[in-house]
Amino acid sequence: MFDTIRTWVPGAITGLVATGAALAAAEVAGALLSRPSSTPLLAVGDAVVDLTPQPVKQFAVDTFGTADKIALFVGMGVILAVAAALLGVAAVNRRWIGFAGLGVFAGVGVLAALTRPDAGPLDGLPTLVGAAVCAGVLVLLIGVIARGRGGGAGDAPAEGGPAEDGPERKDQPQGFDRRRFALLAGAAVAASAGAGATARFLAASTAGGRLTPADVTLPRPAFPADAVPDGADLELAGLDPFFTPNDEFYRIDTALTIPRVDASTWSLRIHGLGAKERVYTFADLLDRDDLVERDITLACVSNPVGGSYVGNARWIGVPLRTLLEEAGVRPPGEGGPADQLVSRSDDGMTIGTPVADVMDGRDALIAIGMNGRPLPYKHGFPARMVVPGLYGYVSACKWIVDLELTTFDAFDAYWVPRGWSARGPIKTQSRIDTPRATHSEAPGTVVVAGVAWAQHTGIDRVEVRIDDGDWREAVLADEDTADTWRQWSYEWAGAEAGQHRISVRATDRDGRTQTEERAPVAPDGATGHHTIQVTVE
Ligand SMILES: Nc1nc2c(c(=O)[nH]1)N[C@H]1C(S)=C(S)[C@@H](COP(=O)(O)O)O[C@H]1N2
Ligand SMILES: [Mo]
């Protein structure tokens, strides 16, 4: 019994050390192959993201917000650590359990790596290297533990044990050679740490000769955006600024590590139904004389009513319609055979956009600049799509590398089998930014303010309702363009002490007023009025 307990700790340590060594070795292999996304943790994490059913995903997003990826890694780490420790304990008595466990985990890692949409034939290798190292460490450490136990008789001294047994023997009458175990385990941990550092170094050193956002000087666009009217930004405390700074811009994607695409080797290919193949390098895009600058508000379909997955930026890019025309593409209305434009990203995302929409004259862009800077890595460097009036999941492909002309009948893009509508025009929305529900306000006049958006249509009217009162018109800030959100404010005079409810609704230029009816974000965007409770005291 004591013997059993005494082997638990070294068994668990063995499992953890071997697993750590496996992950470190896999990192090195991934870095040598320049395929960091093929390492087991990232590949399995990616697979989990892809396979998670929509309700669970929604729960994760609701609970963790944009920290959902960190939560995923922590969760995977805990599961792996617990499994590693248990398998280590089991392996002390029955080695095969340890190796069977290792086999199962390695199998999952290889399978995940090879089934990623951007997988290459060697992507199973990092996991296999890790598994081999793991097996080696297991054999070594369990060997030390088992030898000391002399085949199970608790207090039997190790026959033919290592020479250094002598002095320590009396401290551990029924044990194994702890010093040797500690030395080997320590060496394995040190080697793993060294390997991890080497992997980092390798990854960084392959960065030489790369073209990064910091290296890019954006050209002056041939067609700059008009100046934003002074009155577009009300500059009220608590109200989102008219332009969302890049580092505050919401980020939604499935990438567990942000793709760091090298712009010096990047290219964008256009091909497919009714298209002559065209390939553009990043230099081609920078050199063009038709770069435009446009203000466009981006919104995510999974933005709940009142949510913050919406942001406004000044983009620089190439008109997508022109690129398609250069490839000979005609919109379906003019006899073109393709009705869907599928964009693919460096990380294997697919996004389907109606060809008719991107060719109808709206400012659909292959964007390379965001608020005066090259795109940040997390927003799609070196190039992404931006289409006014469509949710991001059907238009805003980041790290874009490929545009294929096809049909909606022939192909479902990534989100479609996951329960999202194939087409995602943005729904007219409005949001109260101030007051905050958590603040209490002094009686008298309370300034209520927020934003409303109906990209590509424009906002015509915003109304506010206090408690069960009448809808009252808010004052609209000056409009920048129909493609941007519009701030509004409302002076609520005579606010009396107590609990109050404030609601907002917008009407767009097509005369559509937001419905009160609440709909969830799936399949094609939330509806309902943003309503907050405030305390006046
Ligand atoms: N490669 C890639 N592009 C993507 C996504 C993604 O998961 N991968 N998500 C899309 C979604 S759902 C949205 S709302 C926008 C968000 O863009 P942002 O992160 O720059 O705000 O990117 C779109 N482009
Ligand atoms: Mo989105």
Side-chain angles (χ1 to χ4, degrees):
M1 179 61 194
F2 276 114
D3 178 52
T4 315
I5 290 173
R6 274 163 198 257
T7 59
W8 282 7
V9 173
I13 291 175
T14 298
L16 290 170
V17 169
T19 304
L23 295 178
E27 282 313 309
V28 175
L32 285 174
L33 294 170
S34 293
R35 298 285 302 157
S37 62
S38 70
T39 54
L41 276 186
L42 285 180
V44 172
D46 263 332
V48 170
V49 170
D50 283 3
L51 298 176
T52 306
Q54 182 49 35
V56 181
K57 213 176 267 179
Q58 194 58 45
F59 168 79
V61 170
D62 291 347
T63 314
F64 304 111
T66 43
D68 55 344
K69 298 182 175 84
I70 298 169
L72 171 67
F73 279 124
V74 170
M76 286 192 349
V78 169
I79 291 172
L80 191 60
V82 170
L86 291 177
L87 285 170
V89 171
V92 172
N93 291 308
R94 289 179 226 279
R95 266 176 230 213
W96 68 266
I97 298 184
F99 290 107
L102 169 58
V104 169
F105 276 90
V108 170
V110 170
L111 190 68
L114 291 179
T115 52
R116 298 297 71 226
D118 57 341
L122 295 179
D123 280 3
L125 217 54
T127 303
L128 292 177
V129 169
V133 168
C134 185
V137 175
L138 271 181
V139 167
L140 263 179
L141 293 181
I142 288 181
V144 178
I145 302 174
R147 221 176 310 163
R149 295 169 64 232
D155 47 8
E159 5 82 45
E164 60 269 29
D165 272 357
E168 275 102 70
R169 277 273 44 117
K170 30 185 162 354
D171 305 336
Q172 37 175 323
Q174 43 173 233
F176 56 97
D177 186 342
R178 285 186 195 186
R179 200 174 61 134
R180 188 174 164 77
F181 179 82
L183 273 175
L184 281 175
V189 169
S192 306
T198 308
R200 286 280 142 83
F201 175 77
L202 284 173
S205 63
T206 54
R210 293 169 51 98
L211 192 62
T212 73
D215 304 322
V216 173
T217 309
L218 280 181
R220 195 183 292 273
F223 303 94
D226 291 336
V228 178
D230 284 342
D233 199 334
L234 301 174
E235 293 177 13
L236 290 171
L239 176 59
D240 262 11
F242 181 72
F243 283 117
T244 315
N246 288 357
D247 55 0
E248 286 167 31
F249 208 95
Y250 82 93
R251 173 190 164 208
I252 298 284
D253 55 61
T254 58
L256 291 178
T257 49
I258 297 172
R260 292 176 168 255
V261 177
D262 176 1
S264 73
T265 55
W266 175 90
S267 64
L268 173 65
R269 182 166 81 116
I270 302 180
H271 62 111
L273 257 190
K276 302 186 286 278
E277 176 162 325
R278 303 274 305 191
V279 177
Y280 299 88
T281 66
F282 192 58
D284 291 339
L285 298 191
L286 292 179
D287 282 350
R288 290 182 69 99
D289 56 11
D290 61 351
L291 288 177
V292 300
E293 182 183 53
R294 294 290 181 260
D295 300 340
I296 300 167
T297 298
L298 207 64
C300 181
V301 68
S302 51
N303 190 36
V305 171
S308 58
Y309 298 155
V310 53
N312 183 44
R314 174 160 281 198
W315 310 90
I316 291 176
V318 183
L320 176 55
R321 174 163 74 161
T322 313
L323 294 180
L324 293 175
E325 283 169 353
E326 286 172 4
V329 175
R330 278 171 298 130
E334 294 170 26
D339 63 357
Q340 180 176 220
L341 179 66
V342 172
S343 41
R344 286 191 174 75
S345 72
D346 183 72
D347 63 329
M349 171 57 59
T350 54
I351 283 180
T353 312
V355 175
D357 288 354
V358 300
M359 297 191 81
D360 72 357
R362 74 181 75 194
D363 284 315
L365 303 179
I366 295 298
I368 57 172
M370 181 177 185
N371 289 325
R373 325 241 5 156
L375 293 179
Y377 278 127
K378 67 173 176 167
H379 294 296
F381 182 82
R384 73 174 304 169
M385 228 161 93
V386 175
V387 183
L390 303 182
Y391 285 123
Y393 84 106
V394 288
S395 67
C397 188
K398 304 192 275 189
W399 314 292
I400 191 171
V401 294
D402 190 282
L403 284 169
E404 181 181 357
L405 280 299
T406 178
T407 62
F408 279 99
D409 282 343
F411 184 77
D412 277 343
Y414 180 88
W415 299 104
V416 177
R418 289 171 172 78
W420 300 90
S421 163
R423 301 185 189 243
I426 282 176
K427 294 180 179 173
T428 299
Q429 272 291 347
S430 54
R431 185 181 79 191
I432 301 167
D433 284 10
T434 182
R436 301 270 168 197
T438 46
H439 284 217
S440 55
E441 300 291 317
T445 299
V446 173
V447 174
V448 183
V451 283
W453 59 90
Q455 291 91 317
H456 197 53
T457 307
I459 289 292
D460 190 48
R461 187 167 75 234
V462 169
E463 295 159 292
V464 172
R465 181 171 64 184
I466 310 292
D467 299 322
D468 294 318
D470 293 331
W471 287 103
R472 300 290 166 102
E473 230 172 285
V475 177
L476 289 177
D478 287 344
E479 176 171 73
D480 179 14
T481 74
D483 293 341
T484 56
W485 60 11
R486 198 158 175 192
Q487 297 185 350
W488 55 267
S489 73
Y490 175 78
E491 285 204 359
W492 172 21
E496 289 171 11
Q499 287 280 335
H500 296 281
R501 207 171 62 245
I502 312 177
S503 301
V504 66
R505 71 177 185 192
T507 302
D508 64 30
R509 288 231 182 79
D510 286 343
R512 284 177 306 222
T513 301
Q514 276 181 261
T515 169
E516 188 169 14
E517 214 166 295
R518 298 202 148 255
V521 293
D524 61 359
T527 65
H529 298 154
H530 188 208
T531 300
I532 62 166
Q533 302 279 345
V534 291
T535 310
V536 175
E537 58 187 12

